[in-house]
Structure formats: structure tokens, C-alpha cells
Amino acid sequence: MGVRLMVVDDHRLLAEALASALKLRGHRVLAAAAPAAGAADLVISRAPEVCLIGTATPAEPGMFDPVVRIKRERPQVAVVVLGPVPSPRGIAAAFASGASGYVRHDERIEGVERAIMKARAGEAAVAPQLLQGAFSELLNPAAQPDDEGQRLLQMLTPREVEVLVRVADGEDTRLIAAGMGIAPSTARTHVQRVLMKLGVGSRLEAAALAARTGLLDRAERPASAYADGGAESGADMATGPEPPR
């Protein structure tokens, strides 16, 4: 039996795409709305069984205020948050606000659907490892400072870190592909994965986030990032000089 649900996200295309996919799977999607700031009024007026609310910054203060209001005025509505890989503080804030689940933006539609069904049944709809981190943060919130740059760096593979550094240096897809010795299509895929993991919508946002959090200071820069500085600069890098042509 399909679920009466709503999809709310700041990115309208994402909300509409997800709503369409869920409709095809037999669910009744009441609305796909943006921005998320108006989510509470819309959900309260329509009273779905489950509401999916997207966020790119789960740890930002006040981000889950709409969830708090929804649960206060429509406690029967189960709220599932859609977001990037969260810090423990971010997912703890989601559950503390009354959310029934947290699903990563890069989850497959089957995973999103499972979360919807669990939330409607009154169960916690979240991956065990994320839930464990949230409980640890709730029980001991002052255990460690929240090092955003280090957390983001740990999300990325070494190759994705190199891609991010090249993006921050202003390289386009063609230059990234050439510098890493990969096909342009592969470079585009890496860039999209980096944007998704960081929870941003553009290369400019990714570069700004990396700079703001100090991620770039921790990342090992690829030798070719200094190509404009001459061959000597590239040879001094840890990766070693380029092989003979």
C-alpha cells in the first residue's frame, strides 16, 4: 500500500525528481515544494503520513526548526531528513528535533523507500552506524570539538581529495582528466561524487567550503597543480617527477 507523503527540498529539481520516482513506485506524493523554510506550513496544512525534508547543512543551528514545529502541531507525521553524510552533531540534532529518520542524499531510491516505510511504522529509519554516532554525541556532546575540515576530508577517497584540490585550483573537467590521466567522463563522475559527499550544488560551493573549513590545508596537493610554476616545482612534489615522454 502506498504512503501519503511530501517531499520538501531547497533544490526544486531534486525534490521533483524524487517525488516522480516515488510516484512511479505507487506512493501518493502530495507536493514537492521549495524552499524548505516553508516546509512547516505546508506539511501542517496537508498532514501527510511521512514528510521528506532535504538539507545541505544538517549541523547548522536552527536547521531543524521546521521539524520541531511539525512534530509539535502534527505529531502523527513522521519526518525523514535527506542530507549529506552528517557529523554526529548533525544527525543528533535531527533526532533531537523529532525526526524519525535520516537518509543520505546519495542513497538509492530503494533505500529511501525503506526509510519511508520504517518511519510510517514508527521505527527509526537510519543506518546503524549513523545512529550510533548520534547516540554518542547526545550522551557526550563535549567529548571532542567538531573539526569540520577533518570530518569532510575523511569522507573523501584520496582520488576525490585530489579532484577537490584541482577544482579549488580552478581546473575544468578537461584539465582534471589530463592531470590525473583519466577520461573526461571519469573526471566528471569524480567531481559529481565530491559535490554529493560535501552536500553542495556547484564546484564554486565545493571550493568555498573546502577553503572555509581548512580542508585544503590538510590535503596533499597534486604535483600538476603547480604546473604553471614550471617543471622544477612538479619534481619537488612527493609524487615524484613526471616519467620521460
Side-chain angles (χ1 to χ4, degrees):
M1 181 178 178
V3 180
R4 292 175 57 254
L5 58 91
M6 295 181 64
V7 179
V8 183
D9 195 286
D10 283 333
H11 296 86
R12 182 175 293 276
L13 287 177
L14 176 61
E16 291 179 349
L18 182 55
S20 296
L22 290 169
K23 284 179 181 178
L24 289 174
R25 300 179 77 86
H27 301 288
R28 181 184 173 193
V29 184
L30 300 181
D41 289 333
L42 196 57
V43 174
I44 290 168
S45 65
R46 303 299 293 274
E49 294 178 279
V50 180
C51 176
L52 301 176
I53 295 183
T55 176
T57 53
E60 184 175 320
M63 179 54 60
F64 298 114
D65 287 350
V67 180
V68 173
R69 186 180 165 209
I70 291 168
K71 296 305 294 183
R72 183 177 64 245
E73 300 190 31
R74 295 285 188 181
Q76 74 277 16
V77 176
V79 179
V80 176
V81 175
L82 297 171
V85 178
S87 66
R89 186 171 301 174
I91 194 169
F95 278 93
S97 70
S100 299
Y102 191 105
V103 179
R104 288 169 44 171
H105 273 145
D106 58 352
E107 181 61 78
R108 296 172 64 88
I109 188 63
E110 294 84 0
V112 176
E113 187 174 39
R114 281 195 299 270
I116 291 170
M117 303 305 291
K118 279 190 170 185
R120 185 176 69 168
E123 302 175 25
V126 62
Q129 63 271 26
L130 295 183
L131 190 59
Q132 182 179 5
F135 281 144
S136 297
E137 179 66 26
L138 286 171
L139 293 172
N140 191 13
Q144 295 181 357
D146 189 9
D147 189 334
E148 185 75 0
Q150 184 61 33
R151 181 181 67 81
L152 293 174
L153 189 61
Q154 291 174 349
M155 273 196 261
L156 306 175
T157 66
R159 173 150 288 198
E160 288 167 348
V161 171
E162 180 177 355
V163 168
L164 178 59
V165 170
R166 292 178 182 278
V167 167
D169 285 340
E171 294 187 14
D172 59 18
T173 300
R174 180 181 58 81
L175 288 176
I176 292 173
M180 297 180 68
I182 57 179
S185 59
T186 303
R188 280 192 294 271
T189 297
H190 283 314
V191 171
Q192 289 304 312
R193 287 186 180 276
V194 169
L195 299 184
M196 182 174 293
K197 286 187 176 183
L198 296 183
V200 297
S202 69
R203 298 183 185 209
L204 183 60
E205 289 180 80
L209 178 63
R212 177 175 58 79
T213 60
L215 189 157
L216 294 177
D217 297 331
R218 296 178 171 88
E220 182 178 350
R221 306 182 75 84
S224 57
Y226 296 91
D228 291 340
E232 183 178 350
S233 297
D236 289 338
M237 296 300 293
T239 52
E242 292 184 359
R245 297 185 183 277

